[in-house]
Amino acid sequence: MAAPMLRWCCLGRRWVLACVDSGSRHGRGAAIGFTSSRKRGQSSVAQQPLITAQKSRKGEHKWAAVVGLEIHAQISSNSKLFSGSQVRFAAPPNSLVSFFDASLPGTLPVLNRRCVEAAVMTGLALSCRINKKSLFDRKHYFYADLPAGYQITQQRLPIAVNGSLAYSVCAGKKPSQVISKTVRIKQIQLEQDSGKSLHDELRSQTLIDLNRAEGQLRVDANISVHHPGEPLGVRTEVKNLNSARFLAKAIDSEIERQIHELENGREILNETRSFDYKLGCTMPMRDKEGKQDYRFMPEPNLPPLLLYDTASLPPGADPQQVINIDWIRERLPDLPSETREKLIQQYGMLPEHSFALLNEVGLLEFFQNVIKETRAEPKKVTSWVLNIFLGFLKQQNLAVNESPVTPTALAELLNLLDRKAISSSAAKQVFEELWRSKGKTPSQIVSEKQLELMQDEEALERVCHTVMEGHPQVVMDMKRGNSRAINKLIGLVRKATLSRADPTVIKEILEKKLSS
Amino acid sequence: MCLYILHIAPVLFWLFNAGHSLGDLDGIPIAVKDNFSTSGIETTCASNMLKGCVPPYNATVVQKLLDQGAILMGKTNLDEFAMGSGSTDGVFGPVKNPWSYSKQYREKRKQKPHGEKEDSNWLITGGSSGGSAAAVAAFTCFAALGSDTGGSTRNPAAHCGVVGFKPSYGLVSRHGLIPLVNSMDVPGILTRCVDDAALVLGVLAGHDPKDSTTVQDPVKPFTLPTLTDVSKLCIGIPKEYLAPELSSEVRSFWSKAADLFESEGAKVIEVSLPHTSYSIVCYHVLCTSEVASNMARFDGLEYGHRCDIDVSTEAMYAATRREGFNDVVRGRILSGNFFLLKENYENYFIKAQKVRRLIANDFVNVFNSGVDVLLTPTTLSEAVPYLEFIKEDNRTRSAQDDIFTQAVNMAGLPAVSVPVALSNQGLPIGLQFIGRAFRDQQLLTIAKWFEKQVQFPVIQLQELMDDCSSVFEIEKLGSVSLKQ
C-alpha cells in the first residue's frame, strides 16, 4: 500500500491547503505560511527562493534548485470543515467524533461557513484571485486514519489561485541588509483532514484518533535541481516538516544530495522522502511502492461552492446563505506589510524592528499597549520591548501571552525612567524583579529596593567632592585628559550613592568641578 | 420475505387510549428498506459487511415518518447494497413475490404440468427494493420506503402490483440512506394507491440541512386534487422505448393506456429521446465509479465485519472486503476503480458525464415542447420465476431490466409506476409516468387519475392466509406484537 505515512494534509478537518510556487513552473507548487493564531512562534514561514549553488569543480556549470512548498494550515473555527463536531485541543482520543467523522454509512458532508470565510480571507490577504465557483473532489486511498477511504479536497477548481507574497530576507550579517522578494502562490484549497495515527511498536499495532484537532502547521517541500537553461529535473517530495528551521535544513540537504547524486552519474527517483532530524538529511520513506493513483472524482454530495461579490449578489438573498467577497475584503485587518509601514511612519522605526515586532505572536499588541500608557519615546519603547522584554521571553521559552510582565507594568517602568526617577541600570533591575515576582508594581519595587535616583543635586555634589578628595591621583589623571580616569571617578561616585545617581549628571558635576 | 407480522388493531387501540396524537401517519405501520439507517435497529444492506451493525442514528426520512406517528414494522430485504434488479442477491436470501401465492396466479397455473412442487417456481419481486414492495403487496404495512437509483423502487412496484414513486432528486433527504450512487439515489415510496404515496411524500419532502443536495425551497404539504378533465394534458410517448425485448402484453397495455388518454381528450404524441441507447452504458460507468468510491469506507476498522487476519493492515482490508461483499459488489468496485484511474478518467468518467448531460437534455427538450408527462412501460414483462431469473447474472439482468427506468435517475426527474392490469398469467403489469423536475405533485395527480381509470384488482391472498403454515416457514421465528 503506497499511502503516504502520516497524512500530508493537516490535522483538524478545517485545514486550508495553500500552494505556492516559489519562482518556477515546476510541479505542484508551494504553499503559504499561514499562521494558526493559537500557537506561538508560528510566524510566516520564510519561503526558499530560487537559489543557485555553485560547483566550481572541473569547470562544472551552475546548478539551480527549484523548490515548491505545500503548507497545511488549520483554520481557527469552532467546528470542523464538514461535520458539526467541535474542535478542542487536547481532548481525549475519539471524543470529538461525529457520525460523519467516523464515516458511518449514510452520513453526508455539510460545509462550514466560517471555514469558507477563512479561506477567502486567506486568499485576499495573499492577493489571490478568489474563484467565485469552486468544486470539491474525492481523493481516494486506503489508510487506517482515513475512515471514508477518501479525502474531500479541491483538486480541480480550488477556492483561490494566482496570488503572491512579498517577504524580506537578510542578505548579510547586518540587520539592515534586508532585501525584498516575492513568491508566487499557486492556489489555496479547502480540504478535510485525516485522523492521527499512533504507532505502538511494542504491541505491533496502530491506534487511531479521529478527533483531528491538533493545531499544527505542516509543510511538504518539493525539490528538484537542474542546470539553468535545461529542462527541470526530477523532483522529490519531503514530507511533514514542522518547523521553519527544519524546513530550511531539509531543503538544503536534499538539494545537496540531488546535486551529489547527479554529479556522480546517478539518477534522482521521483519519490517521497522524510527528513531525519538527527542525521540532518532526507531518507526515502518506507511503504512507498510505485506511484499512487488517487482516482479523483467529483464529490457528489457537495454542490459547487458559489461565492458572490456586491455586484453579483442576487437580490433578496438570505445573508445566512451567501458569502460576499467584498464584505470580507472590507473587514480584513491590516496586512503585515501595511502594519509595518505604519510603524515606520508613525514611530520612525527601523524596518528590521518592524519585522521583529510582527514576527512574534502578540508582540505588536504588547508594544502598542505600552505606547498607549507611557510618555517615553517610541524609540525607547521599541528598544525595551525588542531587546529586554523579548530577551527575557526567549530565555525562558515563553510566549508573549505568558509573560509575567504586563504592558501596564512596563509602561510604568518606562515612565519612571523617562522622568529620571531611576537610572537605566536601576530600571533593568526593576524589570528583573517584575519578571520574578508577580503583583508588584515598578514603583513598589523601586521604593523597596531604594533605587530612586538622587534628586538632590547639592547632596550629589557633596559626594562628588568627597570622592574627588579621596582620590587625588585619579583627579590628577583626569586633569591630564585621561578619559578612563573620569569613568573611574563616575564609578566611585555611583558606588558611593548605591547606584542611585544618574551617571550623566555625575559626569557633568565632576567636569564642572574640574574646570572650576 | 423477511417481515414481522403485526397485530395492528391492538396497537392502534393502545395509542388511541394513551391519548397520543402523533401526526398524519398516526399508528400507520410502515416498513423500511434495510439500507436506511435506523437508530438502535440492525441495518445490514443485506450484506455480510454490515451484519449485526446497529446504527446510532435515524435516516432523516425514517425520523420524519416516526415523528408523524408511523409504526416501524421492520426492515425489508433487498439486493446486497441495492445492487440488482431482482432482490435475489442479498445475504438473507431472495425475496418471494406474494403474487406467486395469489389466487389469480395459481388459477392460471393450474394448467401447468403436475408433479411440480407448490413453492418451487415462485416468482421474483424485481429489485432492488423487493422486500418493501412485497411488504406492501402482502398487506403487512400501508407504505414502505425503498430506494431508487436506476429503477429500484419502480421495478419491484410493477412486479408486485403496487404504486412505486421516485421523487425528484433533491426533494427528499438522502441523509441516512446508505448510498449506492450519490448523484442518482433517492428514497422511494411504495404504497397501495397514489393518494397514499402523495401523503407520504408530503411528510418526507423538504430541505434537510444535513443533506446539501436538497433544495432550499419550502415544500407545502400535499393533497392531490382529483383530476376530472385531462383534455388540457399532453402525454408524450418516447419512441425509443419501444424496445424489441418488450413483451407483447406490456406493449399492448402501454398502447391501451395511450388510447385511454386520447379518448378522454388528452393530446398524445410521439416524442424522441435520441440518446436513450447510450443510457445503459453511461449509467454503468457512472454507477460503478461512485460505487467504488462509496464502498471504500468498508474496511473493517470503524464498524462492520472485520476478518481474523491481522498480519498487516492491507491483508486485513483485502480479506475483510472479500468476505464482506458479494461478487456483484466486488465486480462493480473493480469496474468503478478502472474507470477512475487517471489514464481512463477522461475517456470513461468524463465522457459518461457528458453523455449524462445529453440524456438529461433530451428530457428537458421534450418537456419544453409542451409535454406534461411521459408514458412508458416500467418493465419488459411481468415477474419471472426465480429459477429463470438466475439463469443470467446480476449485471446482465440489471442492464436488461433497468432499460426504462434508469434514464430518469440520470436526469433527476420524478417518476411513478402505477399497476395497470393483470397479465395472462395473472401477474401485475405496471406502467410508468415521468414528470418534470419538481413537478411531483402534477405527476401524481395524473397518475391518480389513471389509477382510477384502470381499477387494478386487489391481490387475493386468502388461500395463502388460511394456508399459512405450509408456506411461510419464516413465521415460525415469531410474530411481533406490540400488545402492551
Side-chain angles (χ1 to χ4, degrees), chain A residues 103 105-106 138 140 293 295 301, chain B residues 57 174 176 293 303 337 342:
Chain A
S103 72
R138 291 184 181 180
H140 300 86
D293 190 331
R295 291 161 285 132
N301 293 316
Chain B
Y57 76 102
R174 290 182 298 109
S293 177
Y303 44 78
N337 278 325
K342 214 147 112 180

Side-chain angles (χ1 to χ4, degrees), chain B residues 4-13 29 73 479-483:
Chain B
Y4 297 99
I5 305 270
L6 180 78
H7 301 286
I8 298 167
V11 175
L12 294 175
F13 190 69
M73 297 287 300
S479 45
V480 175
S481 167
L482 290 182
K483 270 204 277 258

Side-chain angles (χ1 to χ4, degrees), chain A residues 39 82 85 106 112 123 164 171 199 232 243 255 264 297 308 329 332 349 391 395 399 403 407 439 476 478 492 507:
Chain A
K39 222 155 173 16
F82 292 122
S85 48
N112 178 329
S164 67
H199 299 290
L232 299 173
S243 78
I255 290 171
N264 285 295
M297 184 187 94
Y308 299 93
R329 185 185 280 114
L332 270 183
M349 196 180 286
Q395 203 184 59
S403 150
M476 287 293 286
M478 215 173 96
L492 287 167
K507 193 171 181 202

Side-chain angles (χ1 to χ4, degrees), chain B residues 76-91:
Chain B
T76 59
N77 201 4
L78 58 154
D79 283 302
E80 181 162 337
F81 279 109
M83 299 185 203
S85 59
S87 303
T88 53
D89 283 325
V91 285

Side-chain angles (χ1 to χ4, degrees), chain A residues 305-317:
Chain A
L305 175 59
L306 298 176
L307 304 173
Y308 299 93
D309 51 28
T310 313
S312 64
L313 205 58

Side-chain angles (χ1 to χ4, degrees), chain A residues 209-259:
Chain A
D209 176 8
L210 295 178
N211 279 356
R212 301 159 237 211
E214 299 300 309
Q216 264 186 6
L217 196 72
R218 275 211 307 275
V219 183
D220 305 327
N222 294 283
I223 302 150
S224 74
V225 298
H226 69 291
H227 295 300
E230 287 181 20
L232 299 173
V234 174
R235 69 175 160 92
T236 61
E237 188 181 3
V238 183
K239 284 180 119 40
N240 294 331
L241 299 156
N242 286 355
S243 78
R245 191 159 58 94
F246 287 138
L247 174 68
K249 274 195 176 163
I251 292 172
D252 283 340
S253 88
E254 177 62 14
I255 290 171
E256 256 181 60
R257 182 192 79 87
Q258 289 195 11
I259 291 174

